[in-house]
Amino acid sequence: MTQAVDAAIVGTGPNGLAAAVTLARAGLRVELHEAGESIGGGLRGERYFDSDVLHDVCSAVHPMAAASPFFREFDLTPRGVELLAPRIGYAHPLDDGRAGLAHPGLDATCESLGEDGARWRQLMEPLVEHSTGLVDFIMSGQRSLPSDPVAPLLLAARLLPRRLLSGFRGDVAPALLTGVAAHAVGKLPSLSADAVAMLLGHLAHATGWPLPRGGSERIARVMADDIRAHGGSIHTGSRISSLRELGHARAVLLDTTPAQLLTLADGRLPARYARQLRRFRYGPGAAKADFLVSEPVPWTNPDVGRAGTVHLGGSHTAIARQERLAVRGEATDEPFVLLVDPAATDPGRAHKGRRPVWAYAHVPNGDPRDPVALVRSRIERYAPGFGDTVIAARGVSARDYETYNPNYVGGDIGSGAMTLYQSLARPVPRLDPWRTPLPGVFLCSASTPPGPGVHGMCGHLAALSALRHRFGVREAPSLAPSMGPAASGARA
Ligand SMILES: Cc1cc2nc3c(=O)[nH]c(=O)nc-3n(C[C@H](O)[C@H](O)[C@H](O)COP(=O)(O)OP(=O)(O)OC[C@H]3O[C@@H](n4cnc5c(N)ncnc54)[C@H](O)[C@@H]3O)c2cc1C
């Protein structure tokens, strides 16, 4: 007979794990169900071609894990996860060999941007000074009073005039900033993309855009360790098809999209809520290429090789066009591409002259194209000869991403478009969007605020909602590494 538990969590992406950590730390008995054979969702790693060379399957770079309130308290470092700062946070090569470089230090960045350095400083410096307040405000899904009231005002002052790129004279700084805005994977320019540009852009000069030594899977591993240390159990190869399978749990937290909630609920959702979920929109897709290469990427501009992340899209205008086409569902052979050469920051990722290169393109939702040739040619444009270094390659189309992980509907790795409306009302307009109308059922995935990325906050906030509404626990448990179960809060 299945043992009763306090909470069942469906899915072990960073948000499912964060939800489980929070609930287990509150003294609840939790169990996790993961459809895949390994845990981690967007934090998984695989040795695709060589038993020594690890590839990050999804996320590779972690500005949010370095900054988010959940991970600040969970504290990865004493648990053995070393977040390595790249020598250059992100780089943006242009056709003529010039490149925009976001150094960790604001001074170095402004200096490298020449005449546009002053405008870059004007945009970023106040946000860097109020970084914790700004991150806390955005990461709460804008649902808690700001601890630093200046931070949201600074953000509003940058977004509301809708002139983020005005004031730049050259073409390097606008391209550099647009590359960051493109992380919103949607229409450019837009308010939501500008907000993403300000959040991620300033983080490069604050807590950084680090890579975990040894790959993203390390983060999932220590989260799972914490769950088990607090009595939780994790079941892999356990795909949940209906909420009826979880009748033994007082609360159920779904690290899934609204599309899956509709299926799992078997028609039990109130009609109005179900209608709202059906209206939830998914964004453009990602198509990823993994390469095993024999040497560092031969960038025309060698500075680019020192960066943790590289944006390949060219000028501001070119990127806006690429993103517009992806939103419209029109395929282009020149999409926006993000690239990471992890060994440039973490030399241990290279073995015997072989190293991984991670790259994905923004493409139309459901695009069936194998992206390997497409991505390779985008890289070749800024790094001629790259193709000669490739030992092996594999691609995952946007369409196939959904088979790999049902949360990536049509390849939408944000689990829902980050339009302005959906970044605030995610997945439906509610004060507590994590709570569903089904008693004890909560959504905890990136389809809820604050949205995509490895920050754990969707899971953490959903767990706090479950604690309040299902277990009558109002106090947030401590997540700090040294706290044991005895000291971690009352059992409901
Ligand atoms: C190619 C790519 C690159 C990315 N790069 C970055 C990056 O560099 N930095 C960053 O911060 N973010 C990045 N992201 C985004 C980030 O990975 C996601 O936003 C994040 O993983 C979302 O976490 P989640 O817990 O909501 O869902 P997921 O990580 O998608 O996890 C959901 C889990 O639930 C499981 N599941 C779903 N349905 C069921 C079911 N019915 N039964 C049981 N299990 C189920 C899935 O198998 C999966 O393991 C990237 C994503 C991709 C795909």
Side-chain angles (χ1 to χ4, degrees):
M1 204 181 85
T2 316
Q3 262 202 340
V5 291
D6 294 312
I9 292 111
V10 178
T12 63
N15 287 312
L17 292 170
V21 165
T22 307
L23 295 174
R25 285 309 196 88
L28 301 190
R29 193 191 309 275
V30 304
E31 69 178 26
L32 289 93
H33 296 270
E34 170 52 55
E37 291 307 321
S38 61
I39 63 155
L43 286 168
R44 290 192 188 106
E46 289 283 350
R47 287 168 172 78
Y48 289 130
F49 317 104
D50 179 312
S51 57
D52 288 325
V53 179
L54 178 85
H55 297 257
D56 294 301
V57 176
C58 301
S59 64
V61 180
H62 293 282
M64 313 271 224
S68 92
F70 172 82
F71 279 111
R72 287 205 312 267
E73 196 184 344
F74 186 72
D75 206 353
L76 290 165
T77 313
R79 298 170 190 273
V81 179
E82 199 183 342
L83 294 177
L84 301 172
R87 286 166 293 171
I88 290 172
Y90 59 96
H92 193 117
L94 294 173
D95 282 340
D96 58 6
R98 289 174 303 149
L101 305 172
H103 295 265
L106 198 49
D107 289 345
T109 309
C110 295
E111 202 175 305
S112 74
L113 290 173
E115 60 178 358
D116 281 334
R119 171 69 177 151
W120 192 271
R121 184 183 298 282
Q122 190 190 28
L123 283 175
M124 300 293 178
E125 194 165 52
L127 300 184
V128 172
E129 283 163 5
H130 290 266
S131 184
T132 306
L134 179 66
V135 169
D136 288 358
F137 174 66
I138 294 177
M139 290 284 138
S140 76
Q142 299 85 46
R143 275 163 178 80
S144 67
L145 286 177
S147 56
D148 173 357
V150 177
L153 296 178
L154 289 170
L155 183 63
R158 278 151 186 75
L159 302 186
L160 295 181
R162 307 298 319 273
R163 290 200 303 268
L164 211 52
L165 295 182
S166 70
F168 288 124
R169 294 194 200 122
D171 55 351
V172 176
L176 189 62
L177 196 56
T178 307
V180 187
H183 282 246
V185 201
K187 190 171 136 262
L188 290 176
S190 72
L191 258 180
S192 50
D194 285 356
V196 167
M198 288 295 92
L199 173 66
L200 292 178
H202 97 276
L203 282 178
H205 312 300
T207 36
W209 285 26
L211 283 77
R213 190 187 290 284
S216 297
E217 64 176 25
R218 297 284 172 104
I219 297 177
R221 209 178 294 164
V222 297
M223 293 174 85
D225 288 347
D226 194 79
I227 293 163
R228 291 194 185 101
H230 290 83
S233 59
I234 304 180
H235 309 277
T236 52
S238 175
R239 180 180 294 277
I240 300 300
S241 311
S242 163
L243 289 176
R244 292 181 210 282
E245 295 165 42
L246 302 172
H248 59 290
R250 283 178 67 195
V252 175
L253 285 86
L254 301 172
D255 188 6
T256 69
T257 61
Q260 271 212 73
L261 169 57
L262 282 161
T263 314
L264 292 165
D266 292 324
R268 284 193 292 142
L269 290 168
R272 182 161 178 268
Y273 184 78
R275 246 192 336 269
Q276 287 177 317
L277 291 186
R278 277 190 210 99
R279 280 202 290 264
F280 188 69
R281 284 174 43 213
Y282 296 90
K288 179 154 176 272
D290 285 290
F291 300 97
L292 182 69
V293 299
S294 57
E295 53 190 81
V297 181
W299 300 108
T300 303
N301 183 326
D303 283 339
V304 176
R306 297 192 287 139
T309 305
V310 184
H311 297 146
L312 306 177
S315 70
H316 151 69
T317 322
I319 300 169
R321 180 174 173 277
Q322 292 149 19
E323 295 298 272
R324 196 165 51 242
L325 290 173
V327 171
R328 280 197 207 143
E330 293 174 34
T332 161
D333 289 340
E334 298 199 325
F336 182 73
V337 167
L338 295 95
L339 179 144
V340 177
D341 173 1
T345 304
D346 178 2
R349 296 287 295 272
H351 280 271
K352 298 187 185 133
R354 294 171 164 226
R355 56 203 278 148
V357 169
W358 167 113
Y360 71 88
H362 291 175
V363 296
N365 190 286
D367 190 339
R369 289 177 299 168
D370 180 320
V372 168
L374 200 68
V375 170
R376 190 195 311 230
S377 92
R378 291 300 274 155
I379 302 172
E380 282 272 349
R381 180 158 173 171
Y382 305 99
F386 170 74
D388 300 336
T389 72
V390 174
I391 301 163
R394 78 189 285 280
V396 182
S397 70
R399 190 186 57 192
D400 289 346
Y401 248 123
E402 188 173 343
T403 314
Y404 169 71
N405 179 348
N407 282 25
Y408 303 147
V409 176
D412 171 7
I413 64 173
S415 301
M418 281 298 280
T419 57
L420 181 63
Y421 178 75
Q422 284 201 173
S423 50
L424 298 169
R426 197 171 176 83
V428 299
R430 288 189 142 207
L431 214 53
D432 182 344
W434 303 278
R435 195 178 174 198
T436 79
L438 292 181
V441 178
F442 299 81
L443 261 183
C444 72
S445 73
S447 302
T448 64
V454 175
H455 41 62
M457 287 304 292
C458 312
H460 180 59
L461 294 170
L464 294 182
S465 175
L467 282 174
R468 266 194 316 276
H469 296 292
R470 198 63 175 166
F471 299 97
V473 177
R474 301 215 142 258
E475 204 180 322
S478 167
L479 310 173
S482 55
M483 299 289 284
S488 68
R491 197 183 149 80

